Coordinates of all heavy atoms in Angstrom, one line a residue:
M1 N 0.8 -1.2 0.0 CA 0.0 0.0 0.0 C 0.9 1.3 0.0 O 1.8 1.4 0.8 CB -0.9 0.0 1.3 CG -1.8 1.2 1.4 SD -2.9 0.9 2.8 CE -2.7 2.5 3.6
I2 N 0.6 2.2 -0.9 CA 1.4 3.4 -1.0 C 0.6 4.6 -0.3 O -0.6 4.8 -0.7 CB 1.7 3.8 -2.4 CG1 2.6 2.7 -3.0 CG2 2.4 5.2 -2.5 CD1 2.9 2.9 -4.5
L3 N 1.1 5.2 0.7 CA 0.4 6.3 1.3 C 0.5 7.6 0.5 O 1.6 7.9 -0.1 CB 1.0 6.6 2.7 CG 0.9 5.4 3.7 CD1 1.8 5.8 5.0 CD2 -0.5 5.2 4.1
K4 N -0.6 8.3 0.3 CA -0.6 9.5 -0.4 C 0.2 10.6 0.4 O 1.0 11.3 -0.2 CB -2.0 10.0 -0.6 CG -2.6 9.6 -1.9 CD -3.9 10.3 -2.1 CE -4.3 10.1 -3.6 NZ -5.6 10.7 -3.9
N5 N 0.1 10.6 1.6 CA 0.8 11.6 2.5 C 1.6 10.9 3.5 O 1.1 10.6 4.6 CB -0.2 12.6 3.1 CG -0.9 13.4 2.1 OD1 -0.3 13.9 1.2 ND2 -2.2 13.5 2.2
P6 N 2.8 10.4 3.2 CA 3.6 9.7 4.2 C 3.8 10.5 5.4 O 4.0 11.7 5.3 CB 4.8 9.3 3.4 CG 4.9 10.3 2.4 CD 3.5 10.7 2.0
P7 N 3.9 9.9 6.6 CA 4.2 10.7 7.8 C 5.6 11.2 7.9 O 5.9 12.1 8.6 CB 3.9 9.7 8.9 CG 4.1 8.4 8.3 CD 3.7 8.5 6.9
F8 N 6.5 10.7 7.1 CA 7.9 11.2 7.0 C 8.3 11.4 5.6 O 7.9 10.8 4.7 CB 8.8 10.1 7.7 CG 8.6 10.0 9.2 CD1 7.7 9.0 9.7 CD2 9.1 10.9 10.1 CE1 7.5 8.9 11.0 CE2 8.8 10.8 11.4 CZ 8.0 9.8 11.9
I9 N 9.3 12.3 5.5 CA 9.8 12.7 4.2 C 11.4 12.5 4.3 O 12.0 12.9 5.3 CB 9.5 14.1 3.8 CG1 8.0 14.2 3.5 CG2 10.3 14.7 2.7 CD1 7.5 15.6 3.2
T10 N 11.9 12.0 3.2 CA 13.4 11.9 3.1 C 13.9 12.9 2.1 O 13.4 13.0 1.0 CB 13.8 10.5 2.7 OG1 13.2 9.6 3.7 CG2 15.3 10.3 2.7
L11 N 14.9 13.7 2.5 CA 15.5 14.7 1.6 C 17.0 14.7 1.9 O 17.5 14.2 2.8 CB 14.8 16.0 1.8 CG 15.0 16.8 3.1 CD1 14.9 18.3 2.9 CD2 13.9 16.3 4.1
F12 N 17.7 15.5 1.0 CA 19.1 15.6 1.2 C 19.4 17.0 1.6 O 18.9 18.0 1.1 CB 19.9 15.4 -0.2 CG 19.7 14.0 -0.7 CD1 18.6 13.7 -1.5 CD2 20.6 13.0 -0.4 CE1 18.5 12.4 -2.0 CE2 20.5 11.7 -0.9 CZ 19.4 11.4 -1.7
I13 N 20.2 17.1 2.7 CA 20.7 18.4 3.1 C 22.2 18.4 3.1 O 22.9 17.6 3.8 CB 20.2 18.8 4.5 CG1 18.7 18.9 4.5 CG2 20.9 20.1 5.0 CD1 18.1 19.3 5.8
D14 N 22.8 19.2 2.2 CA 24.3 19.1 2.0 C 24.7 17.7 1.7 O 25.7 17.2 2.3 CB 25.1 19.7 3.1 CG 24.8 21.2 3.2 OD1 24.5 21.8 2.2 OD2 25.0 21.7 4.4
S15 N 24.0 17.0 0.8 CA 24.3 15.6 0.4 C 24.1 14.6 1.4 O 24.4 13.4 1.2 CB 25.7 15.5 -0.2 OG 25.9 16.4 -1.3
K16 N 23.6 14.9 2.6 CA 23.3 13.9 3.7 C 21.8 13.6 3.6 O 21.0 14.6 3.6 CB 23.7 14.5 5.0 CG 25.2 14.6 5.2 CD 25.5 15.0 6.7 CE 27.0 15.4 6.8 NZ 27.2 16.3 7.9
L17 N 21.5 12.4 3.7 CA 20.1 11.9 3.7 C 19.6 12.2 5.1 O 20.2 11.8 6.1 CB 20.1 10.4 3.3 CG 18.8 9.9 2.9 CD1 18.3 10.6 1.6 CD2 18.9 8.4 2.6
I18 N 18.4 12.8 5.2 CA 17.8 13.0 6.4 C 16.3 12.8 6.3 O 15.7 13.0 5.3 CB 18.0 14.5 6.9 CG1 17.3 14.7 8.3 CG2 17.6 15.5 5.9 CD1 17.7 16.0 8.9
T19 N 15.7 12.2 7.3 CA 14.3 11.9 7.4 C 13.6 12.8 8.4 O 14.1 12.9 9.5 CB 14.0 10.4 7.7 OG1 14.7 9.6 6.7 CG2 12.5 10.1 7.7
V20 N 12.6 13.5 8.0 CA 11.9 14.5 8.8 C 10.4 14.2 8.8 O 9.9 13.6 7.8 CB 12.2 15.9 8.4 CG1 13.7 16.2 8.5 CG2 11.7 16.2 7.0
P21 N 9.7 14.7 9.7 CA 8.2 14.6 9.7 C 7.6 15.4 8.5 O 8.2 16.4 8.1 CB 7.7 15.2 11.0 CG 8.9 15.3 11.9 CD 10.1 15.4 11.0
A22 N 6.6 14.9 7.8 CA 6.0 15.5 6.7 C 5.3 16.8 7.2 O 4.9 16.9 8.4 CB 4.9 14.6 6.1
G23 N 5.2 17.8 6.4 CA 4.5 19.1 6.7 C 5.3 20.1 7.4 O 4.8 21.0 8.0
I24 N 6.6 20.0 7.3 CA 7.5 21.0 8.0 C 8.2 21.8 6.9 O 8.4 21.3 5.8 CB 8.5 20.4 9.0 CG1 9.5 19.5 8.3 CG2 7.7 19.7 10.1 CD1 10.6 19.1 9.3
T25 N 8.7 22.9 7.3 CA 9.5 23.8 6.3 C 10.9 23.3 6.3 O 11.4 22.6 7.2 CB 9.5 25.2 6.7 OG1 10.2 25.4 7.9 CG2 8.1 25.8 6.8
V26 N 11.7 23.7 5.3 CA 13.1 23.4 5.1 C 13.8 24.0 6.3 O 14.8 23.4 6.9 CB 13.6 23.9 3.8 CG1 15.1 23.8 3.7 CG2 13.0 23.2 2.6
A27 N 13.4 25.2 6.8 CA 14.1 25.8 8.0 C 14.0 24.9 9.2 O 14.9 24.7 9.9 CB 13.5 27.2 8.3
T28 N 12.8 24.3 9.4 CA 12.7 23.3 10.5 C 13.5 22.1 10.3 O 14.1 21.5 11.2 CB 11.2 23.0 10.7 OG1 10.4 24.2 10.8 CG2 10.9 22.1 11.9
A29 N 13.5 21.6 9.0 CA 14.4 20.4 8.7 C 15.8 20.7 9.0 O 16.5 19.8 9.5 CB 14.2 20.0 7.2
L30 N 16.3 21.9 8.8 CA 17.7 22.3 9.1 C 17.9 22.1 10.6 O 18.9 21.7 11.0 CB 18.0 23.7 8.6 CG 18.1 23.9 7.1 CD1 18.2 25.4 6.8 CD2 19.2 23.1 6.5
A31 N 16.9 22.6 11.4 CA 17.0 22.5 12.8 C 17.1 21.0 13.3 O 17.8 20.7 14.2 CB 15.8 23.1 13.5
Y32 N 16.5 20.1 12.5 CA 16.6 18.7 12.8 C 18.0 18.2 12.7 O 18.4 17.2 13.3 CB 15.6 17.9 11.9 CG 14.3 17.7 12.5 CD1 13.3 18.6 12.4 CD2 13.9 16.5 13.2 CE1 12.0 18.4 12.9 CE2 12.7 16.3 13.7 CZ 11.7 17.3 13.6 OH 10.5 17.1 14.1
T33 N 18.8 18.8 11.8 CA 20.1 18.3 11.6 C 21.1 18.8 12.8 O 22.2 18.3 12.9 CB 20.8 18.9 10.3 OG1 20.9 20.3 10.5 CG2 19.9 18.6 9.1
G34 N 20.6 19.7 13.6 CA 21.4 20.2 14.7 C 22.2 21.4 14.3 O 23.0 21.9 15.1
D35 N 22.1 21.8 13.1 CA 22.9 22.9 12.6 C 22.0 23.7 11.7 O 21.8 23.4 10.5 CB 24.1 22.5 11.8 CG 24.9 23.6 11.2 OD1 24.6 24.8 11.5 OD2 25.8 23.4 10.4
E36 N 21.3 24.7 12.2 CA 20.3 25.4 11.4 C 20.7 26.5 10.5 O 19.9 27.2 9.9 CB 19.1 25.9 12.4 CG 19.6 26.9 13.4 CD 18.5 27.3 14.3 OE1 17.3 27.4 13.8 OE2 18.8 27.7 15.4
H37 N 22.1 26.7 10.4 CA 22.5 27.8 9.5 C 22.2 27.5 8.1 O 22.1 26.3 7.6 CB 24.0 28.1 9.7 CG 24.9 27.4 8.8 ND1 25.4 26.1 9.1 CD2 25.4 27.7 7.6 CE1 26.2 25.7 8.2 NE2 26.2 26.6 7.2
C38 N 21.9 28.6 7.3 CA 21.5 28.5 5.9 C 22.5 28.9 5.0 O 22.7 28.4 3.9 CB 20.2 29.3 5.6 SG 18.8 28.8 6.5
R39 N 23.3 29.9 5.4 CA 24.2 30.5 4.5 C 25.3 31.2 5.3 O 25.2 31.3 6.5 CB 23.6 31.5 3.5 CG 23.0 32.7 4.2 CD 22.2 33.6 3.3 NE 21.8 34.8 4.0 CZ 22.4 35.9 4.1 NH1 23.6 36.0 3.5 NH2 22.0 36.9 4.8
M40 N 26.3 31.7 4.5 CA 27.4 32.4 5.1 C 27.3 33.9 4.6 O 27.1 34.1 3.4 CB 28.7 31.8 4.7 CG 29.9 32.1 5.4 SD 30.1 31.3 6.9 CE 31.0 29.8 6.4
S41 N 27.5 34.9 5.5 CA 27.4 36.2 5.0 C 28.7 36.6 4.3 O 29.7 35.8 4.3 CB 27.2 37.2 6.2 OG 28.4 37.2 7.0
V42 N 28.8 37.8 3.7 CA 30.0 38.2 3.0 C 31.1 38.4 4.0 O 32.3 38.3 3.6 CB 29.8 39.5 2.2 CG1 28.9 39.2 1.0 CG2 29.2 40.6 3.0
S43 N 30.8 38.6 5.3 CA 31.9 38.7 6.3 C 32.1 37.4 7.0 O 32.6 37.3 8.1 CB 31.5 39.8 7.3 OG 30.3 39.5 7.9
Q44 N 31.6 36.3 6.3 CA 31.9 34.9 6.8 C 31.2 34.6 8.1 O 31.7 33.8 8.9 CB 33.4 34.6 6.9 CG 34.1 34.8 5.5 CD 33.5 33.9 4.4 OE1 33.4 32.7 4.6 NE2 33.0 34.5 3.3
Q45 N 30.1 35.2 8.4 CA 29.3 34.8 9.6 C 28.2 33.9 9.2 O 27.5 34.1 8.1 CB 28.7 36.1 10.2 CG 29.7 37.0 10.8 CD 29.1 38.3 11.3 OE1 28.1 38.8 10.8 NE2 29.6 38.8 12.4
L46 N 27.9 32.9 10.0 CA 26.8 32.0 9.7 C 25.5 32.7 9.9 O 25.3 33.4 10.9 CB 26.9 30.8 10.7 CG 28.1 29.9 10.5 CD1 28.1 28.7 11.5 CD2 28.2 29.3 9.1
R47 N 24.6 32.5 9.0 CA 23.3 33.2 9.1 C 22.2 32.1 9.3 O 22.3 31.0 8.7 CB 22.9 34.0 7.8 CG 24.0 34.9 7.4 CD 24.5 35.8 8.5 NE 23.4 36.7 9.0 CZ 23.6 37.7 9.8 NH1 24.8 37.9 10.4 NH2 22.6 38.4 10.2
V48 N 21.3 32.3 10.2 CA 20.2 31.4 10.5 C 18.8 32.0 10.3 O 18.7 33.3 10.3 CB 20.3 30.9 12.0 CG1 21.6 30.2 12.2 CG2 20.1 32.0 12.9
P49 N 17.8 31.2 10.1 CA 16.5 31.8 9.9 C 16.2 32.7 11.1 O 16.4 32.4 12.3 CB 15.6 30.6 9.9 CG 16.4 29.5 9.4 CD 17.8 29.8 10.0
F50 N 15.6 33.9 10.8 CA 15.3 34.9 11.9 C 13.8 35.2 12.0 O 13.3 35.0 13.1 CB 16.1 36.2 11.6 CG 15.9 37.2 12.6 CD1 16.5 37.1 13.9 CD2 15.2 38.4 12.3 CE1 16.3 38.1 14.9 CE2 15.0 39.4 13.3 CZ 15.6 39.2 14.5
C51 N 13.2 35.6 11.0 CA 11.8 36.0 11.1 C 10.8 34.9 10.9 O 9.7 34.9 11.5 CB 11.5 37.2 10.1 SG 11.4 36.6 8.4
G52 N 11.2 33.9 10.1 CA 10.3 32.8 9.9 C 9.0 33.1 9.0 O 8.1 32.3 8.9
M53 N 9.0 34.3 8.4 CA 7.9 34.7 7.6 C 8.2 35.4 6.3 O 7.4 36.1 5.7 CB 6.9 35.6 8.4 CG 7.5 36.8 8.9 SD 6.3 37.6 10.0 CE 7.2 39.1 10.4
G54 N 9.4 35.1 5.7 CA 9.8 35.6 4.4 C 10.2 37.0 4.3 O 10.3 37.6 3.2
I55 N 10.5 37.7 5.4 CA 10.8 39.1 5.4 C 12.4 39.3 5.4 O 12.9 40.1 4.6 CB 10.2 39.9 6.6 CG1 8.7 39.6 6.6 CG2 10.6 41.3 6.6 CD1 7.9 40.3 5.5
C56 N 13.1 38.7 6.3 CA 14.5 39.0 6.6 C 15.4 38.5 5.5 O 16.5 39.0 5.4 CB 14.9 38.6 8.0 SG 15.1 36.8 8.1
Q57 N 15.1 37.5 4.8 CA 15.9 36.9 3.8 C 17.2 36.2 4.3 O 18.1 35.9 3.6 CB 16.3 37.9 2.7 CG 15.2 38.7 2.2 CD 14.4 38.0 1.1 OE1 14.9 37.5 0.2 NE2 13.1 37.9 1.3
E58 N 17.2 36.0 5.6 CA 18.4 35.3 6.2 C 18.5 33.9 5.9 O 19.5 33.2 6.1 CB 18.4 35.6 7.7 CG 18.6 37.0 8.2 CD 20.0 37.5 7.9 OE1 20.9 36.7 7.5 OE2 20.3 38.6 8.2
C59 N 17.4 33.3 5.5 CA 17.3 31.8 5.3 C 17.5 31.4 3.8 O 17.1 30.3 3.4 CB 16.0 31.3 5.8 SG 14.6 31.9 5.0
R60 N 18.1 32.3 3.0 CA 18.3 31.9 1.6 C 19.2 30.7 1.5 O 20.2 30.6 2.2 CB 19.0 33.1 0.9 CG 18.1 34.3 0.7 CD 18.7 35.3 -0.2 NE 20.1 35.7 0.1 CZ 20.4 36.7 0.9 NH1 19.4 37.5 1.3 NH2 21.6 37.0 1.1
L61 N 18.9 29.8 0.6 CA 19.7 28.7 0.3 C 19.3 28.1 -1.0 O 18.4 28.7 -1.7 CB 19.7 27.6 1.4 CG 18.4 27.2 2.1 CD1 17.4 26.7 1.1 CD2 18.6 26.3 3.2
M62 N 20.0 27.1 -1.4 CA 19.7 26.5 -2.7 C 18.9 25.2 -2.5 O 19.2 24.4 -1.7 CB 21.0 26.1 -3.5 CG 21.9 27.2 -3.7 SD 21.3 28.4 -4.8 CE 21.6 27.6 -6.4
I63 N 17.8 25.1 -3.3 CA 16.9 23.9 -3.2 C 16.8 23.5 -4.7 O 16.3 24.2 -5.5 CB 15.6 24.2 -2.6 CG1 15.8 24.6 -1.1 CG2 14.7 22.9 -2.7 CD1 14.5 25.0 -0.4
N64 N 17.2 22.2 -4.9 CA 17.2 21.7 -6.3 C 17.8 22.6 -7.3 O 17.3 22.8 -8.4 CB 15.8 21.3 -6.7 CG 15.2 20.2 -5.8 OD1 15.9 19.4 -5.3 ND2 13.9 20.1 -5.7
G65 N 18.9 23.3 -6.9 CA 19.7 24.2 -7.8 C 19.2 25.6 -8.0 O 19.7 26.3 -8.8
R66 N 18.1 25.9 -7.2 CA 17.6 27.3 -7.3 C 17.5 27.9 -5.9 O 17.3 27.2 -5.0 CB 16.2 27.3 -8.0 CG 16.2 26.6 -9.3 CD 14.9 26.7 -10.0 NE 14.7 28.1 -10.4 CZ 13.6 28.6 -11.0 NH1 12.6 27.7 -11.3 NH2 13.5 29.8 -11.3
R67 N 17.6 29.3 -5.9 CA 17.5 29.9 -4.6 C 16.1 30.0 -4.1 O 15.2 30.2 -4.8 CB 18.0 31.4 -4.7 CG 19.5 31.4 -4.9 CD 20.0 32.8 -4.9 NE 21.4 32.8 -5.0 CZ 22.3 33.4 -4.2 NH1 21.8 34.0 -3.2 NH2 23.6 33.3 -4.4
H68 N 16.0 29.7 -2.8 CA 14.7 29.7 -2.1 C 14.9 30.2 -0.7 O 16.0 30.3 -0.2 CB 14.1 28.3 -2.0 CG 13.6 27.7 -3.3 ND1 12.4 27.9 -3.8 CD2 14.2 27.0 -4.2 CE1 12.2 27.3 -4.9 NE2 13.4 26.8 -5.2
L69 N 13.8 30.5 -0.1 CA 13.8 30.9 1.4 C 13.4 29.6 2.1 O 12.3 29.0 1.9 CB 12.8 32.0 1.7 CG 13.1 33.3 1.0 CD1 12.0 34.3 1.4 CD2 14.5 33.9 1.5
A70 N 14.3 29.2 3.1 CA 14.0 27.9 3.8 C 12.7 28.0 4.6 O 12.0 27.0 4.7 CB 15.2 27.6 4.7
C71 N 12.4 29.2 5.1 CA 11.2 29.3 6.0 C 9.9 29.3 5.2 O 8.8 29.2 5.8 CB 11.3 30.6 6.9 SG 11.1 32.1 6.0
Q72 N 10.0 29.5 3.9 CA 8.8 29.6 3.0 C 8.6 28.4 2.1 O 7.8 28.4 1.3 CB 8.8 30.9 2.2 CG 8.9 32.1 3.0 CD 7.6 32.3 3.8 OE1 6.5 32.4 3.3 NE2 7.8 32.3 5.2
T73 N 9.5 27.4 2.3 CA 9.5 26.2 1.4 C 9.2 25.0 2.3 O 9.9 24.7 3.2 CB 10.8 26.1 0.7 OG1 11.1 27.3 0.1 CG2 10.8 25.0 -0.3
M74 N 8.2 24.2 1.9 CA 7.8 23.0 2.5 C 8.8 21.9 2.0 O 9.1 21.8 0.9 CB 6.4 22.6 2.3 CG 5.4 23.7 2.7 SD 5.5 24.0 4.5 CE 4.8 22.6 5.2
C75 N 9.1 21.0 2.9 CA 9.9 19.8 2.5 C 9.2 18.9 1.6 O 8.0 18.7 1.7 CB 10.3 19.0 3.8 SG 11.5 19.8 4.8
E76 N 9.9 18.4 0.6 CA 9.3 17.5 -0.4 C 10.3 16.3 -0.5 O 11.5 16.4 -0.3 CB 9.2 18.1 -1.7 CG 8.1 19.2 -1.8 CD 8.0 19.9 -3.1 OE1 8.6 19.4 -4.1 OE2 7.3 20.9 -3.2
M77 N 9.7 15.1 -0.8 CA 10.5 13.9 -0.9 C 11.6 14.1 -2.0 O 11.3 14.6 -3.1 CB 9.5 12.8 -1.3 CG 10.1 11.4 -1.3 SD 10.5 10.9 0.4 CE 8.9 10.2 0.9
G78 N 12.8 13.7 -1.6 CA 13.9 13.7 -2.5 C 14.5 15.1 -2.8 O 15.5 15.2 -3.6
M79 N 14.0 16.1 -2.1 CA 14.5 17.5 -2.3 C 16.0 17.6 -2.0 O 16.5 16.9 -1.1 CB 13.7 18.4 -1.4 CG 14.0 19.8 -1.4 SD 12.9 20.6 -0.1 CE 11.6 21.2 -1.2
K80 N 16.8 18.4 -2.8 CA 18.2 18.6 -2.5 C 18.4 20.0 -2.0 O 18.3 20.9 -2.8 CB 19.0 18.3 -3.8 CG 19.0 16.8 -4.2 CD 19.8 16.6 -5.4 CE 19.8 15.1 -5.7 NZ 18.6 14.5 -6.2
V81 N 18.8 20.1 -0.8 CA 19.0 21.4 -0.1 C 20.5 21.6 0.1 O 21.2 20.7 0.6 CB 18.3 21.4 1.3 CG1 18.6 22.7 2.0 CG2 16.8 21.1 1.1
E82 N 21.0 22.8 -0.3 CA 22.4 23.1 -0.1 C 22.5 24.4 0.5 O 22.0 25.4 0.1 CB 23.1 23.1 -1.5 CG 23.2 21.8 -2.2 CD 23.7 22.0 -3.6 OE1 24.7 22.6 -3.8 OE2 22.9 21.5 -4.5
R83 N 23.3 24.5 1.6 CA 23.6 25.7 2.3 C 24.5 26.5 1.4 O 25.4 25.9 0.7 CB 24.2 25.5 3.7 CG 23.2 24.8 4.6 CD 23.9 24.6 5.9 NE 23.0 24.2 6.9 CZ 22.9 22.9 7.4 NH1 23.7 22.0 7.0 NH2 22.0 22.7 8.4
I84 N 24.4 27.8 1.4 CA 25.3 28.6 0.6 C 26.2 29.6 1.4 O 26.0 29.7 2.6 CB 24.6 29.5 -0.5 CG1 23.4 30.3 0.1 CG2 24.0 28.5 -1.5 CD1 22.7 31.1 -0.8
Ligands
LIG101 S1 13.6 33.5 8.2 FE1 13.3 35.5 7.5 S2 12.9 35.2 5.4 FE2 13.1 33.2 6.1

C-alpha cells in the first residue's frame, strides 16, 4: 500500500540523507540536523532563519539548484538542499 501523504519525508541536506516529519518547512528540517544555519554572509558569519515569515531573507539557500527561502518552502520527498 502506498500512502498519499507519508508521515515522514526523506530529503538531502548538503548531500546527507535526512528523514523528517511531513508538513514542515526546510528551515525546520535544518534544525533537525542540529545545525540550522542556511548561508554564510559576505563577512563569513553563519546566518540562521530569523523572522520565519519571508521578510528578513536570512534563510536563503539552494533547493534543487535554485535559490529559495527555507522558511517559506515545505519539505518534499527527494529534495536537494544546499547551504550557501
Ligand atoms: S527566516 Fe526570514 S525570510 Fe526566512
